Amino acid sequence: MLELLTGTGLATAAGLNAYIPLLVIGMLDRYTNLINLPSTWSWLSNGWVLLILAVLLAIEFVADKVPVVDSVNDVVQTVVRPTAGGMAFAAGTGSETVTVTDPSALWTQKLWIPIVIGLLIAFTVHGAKATARPVMNVATVGMAAPVVSTVEDGASAGLSVVAIIVPFLVIIFLIGLVWWMVTARRRRRQRRAIGALSEK
């Protein structure tokens, strides 16, 4: 159960920012005892891989803060974020962590299962993000892009760490994420209704 929450949290974080959860997994494996990656995923803690992830994160960090560029970035990330989510889910569910000392064989022997699950989770989160961002940019004349992006990056980093150290808190985050998505959709419908009434 806990390994499923760990994987879900990491895949969700990858849907917001592809590189943060992979960097967190790799750095925590390399520099702490909070996570021990299985041999299949040990390359994530390689120094060169961490450097490449850090450079890609820096590029994404800047690109995601600029209106219009963030939407182009979201198109590119439509492949990258789900892929990172699949990798993060598989690496997280197959790892020994502070709370998981013996991961289930399902997550380590049939590698395609966690990769597909993580891919679907990250794709769903990415889809919601990529759909909401242009609407926010138009509604705020681009002023929302850096604020929303910073919140997303913070949420991705926080969720990545929490998923590894205290995975049951992932449930609270996911409830908050669903609440936010429902609220945003409801506001969008209300704005459309008000716009339709004002045109008449």
Side-chain angles (χ1 to χ4, degrees):
M1 173 67 176
L2 289 177
E3 53 268 63
L4 182 61
L5 290 174
T6 296
T8 300
L10 291 168
T12 302
L16 296 172
N17 186 308
Y19 310 110
I20 289 174
L22 297 177
L23 196 57
V24 167
I25 291 168
M27 290 183 72
L28 289 179
D29 179 61
R30 185 176 178 106
Y31 298 112
T32 73
N33 291 324
L34 296 175
I35 186 170
N36 294 312
L37 291 169
S39 60
T40 310
W41 298 103
S42 63
W43 58 272
L44 282 172
S45 61
N46 177 287
W48 286 105
V49 172
L50 292 175
L51 179 63
I52 291 167
L53 287 171
V55 169
L56 291 171
L57 174 60
I59 293 167
E60 158 111 8
F61 185 82
V62 173
D64 205 40
K65 307 283 185 281
V66 180
V68 180
V69 175
D70 65 340
S71 295
V72 173
N73 182 48
D74 281 338
V75 171
V76 172
Q77 295 293 327
T78 299
V79 173
V80 177
R81 289 182 186 138
T83 302
M87 293 166 51
F89 189 95
T93 55
S95 296
E96 291 183 2
T97 65
V98 177
T99 55
V100 178
T101 55
D102 187 22
S104 170
L106 171 67
W107 308 118
T108 56
Q109 292 177 358
K110 298 184 189 300
L111 199 54
W112 67 272
I113 294 172
I115 290 174
V116 169
I117 293 170
L119 190 141
L120 293 172
I121 292 169
F123 184 75
T124 302
V125 173
H126 166 72
K129 171 187 170 163
T131 303
R133 187 63 78 81
V135 174
M136 288 184 228
N137 284 343
V138 169
T140 63
V141 193
M143 299 300 287
V147 174
V148 172
S149 178
T150 302
V151 169
E152 290 167 351
D153 291 343
S156 181
L159 184 56
S160 296
V161 172
V162 164
I164 292 168
I165 298 173
V166 195
F168 64 86
L169 290 180
V170 169
I171 296 169
I172 295 168
F173 179 85
L174 292 176
I175 290 169
L177 182 64
V178 168
W179 173 83
W180 176 79
M181 289 170 48
V182 168
T183 302
R185 181 174 285 168
R186 189 177 298 144
R187 286 182 186 162
R188 197 173 332 137
R189 286 182 185 161
Q190 288 172 347
R191 285 187 189 129
R192 284 183 191 159
I194 290 171
L197 289 174
S198 64
E199 290 176 4
K200 291 182 180 182

